Every structure is written in C-alpha cells, then in structure tokens.
Amino acid sequence: MHLLHAPDAPVADQIAFEDFLKVDIRIGTVVGAEEFPEARKPSLKLRIDFGPAIGVKRSCAQIAALYKPDDLIGRQVAAVVNFPPRQIGKALSEVLTIGFADDQERVVLFSPDVPVPNGARLF
C-alpha cells in the first residue's frame, strides 16, 4: 500500500483552521459516468452536479476497481471543487472526487449516509 494511504501512516503536520477552510469540499450527485480505458490506473470519467452555484463538473476518478458506471448514476459523492483543473490524458478533470484506499488499495468513495442538497459544503 502507498505510504500516504496506509492506515498506520503518520499524522500530517498541523495546519491552521483557516488553511482547512481554503479547501472547498462539496457534495454533488453523479449524473454521468463512463469508462476511461486510456487512464494508467482503473478509472472512470464522471459528471457531477453540484447545484446551481457550481453546476455540473467533470472528474477523472480512480474508482473503476470497485464501481461500474451505471451503479454511480444518482449517487452523491464528495469532491474538492476549488483545485485548478488537471489534464488527465485526453480528459480534463475539474474537481477531485474524494475516497479512501481499502486494504487492497482500491478507492472507496466518500459520500454522505443520508441525502444532502447538491453543493452542500463540508465543515
């Protein structure tokens, strides 16, 4: 397992609360998902609706090991919405979908256990 993802990895350096507030993590609903075979690691291309203030954004997520595109439609996921877009091969990823590595290094999505409004911010 990658050292940063390991459950016994050391705690990161302390940051100020103001630094945490700079990371804008929101909930959105997956409205589109497709396979991304050109990616180096098993990935999917997602379209996520973050509500009227942010809109629909694209994300390339390394989640194909556990998730199929059709199973994700309608699912709420968390993502960082204020990172600059990244070019991932031929695709543009506008938000960073958040997950945790399981014991086999597969990404498990982070999402609320009850529905919340699209665009709701983590605090």
Side-chain angles (χ1 to χ4, degrees):
M1 181 172 289
H2 189 277
L3 182 60
L4 294 176
H5 299 150
D8 58 350
V11 173
D13 293 339
Q14 284 191 350
I15 61 171
F17 186 70
E18 292 75 23
D19 292 330
F20 168 74
L21 292 176
K22 292 176 185 177
V23 181
D24 193 351
I25 301 173
R26 305 283 183 116
I27 289 296
T29 299
V30 177
V31 295
E34 61 185 89
E35 294 184 8
F36 188 18
E38 304 87 8
R40 288 184 306 200
K41 293 186 179 182
S43 300
L44 299 176
K45 292 190 280 188
L46 307 176
R47 287 185 302 112
I48 306 168
D49 182 0
F50 291 97
I54 298 170
V56 176
K57 298 292 182 181
R58 295 171 288 178
S59 181
C60 300
Q62 296 176 357
I63 59 173
L66 290 177
Y67 302 96
K68 301 291 181 223
D70 291 344
D71 296 335
L72 293 171
I73 305 300
R75 181 183 178 134
Q76 288 195 302
V77 296
V80 177
V81 298
N82 66 332
F83 284 158
R86 289 185 62 197
Q87 193 71 40
I88 311 291
K90 294 182 179 181
L92 184 67
S93 190
E94 299 173 296
V95 298
L96 175 66
T97 305
I98 297 174
F100 294 91
D102 69 7
D103 60 359
Q104 297 175 40
E105 289 196 60
R106 300 172 301 187
V107 177
V108 178
L109 289 169
F110 181 69
S111 59
D113 57 358
V114 297
V116 297
N118 285 339
R121 186 172 180 174
L122 178 76
F123 64 94

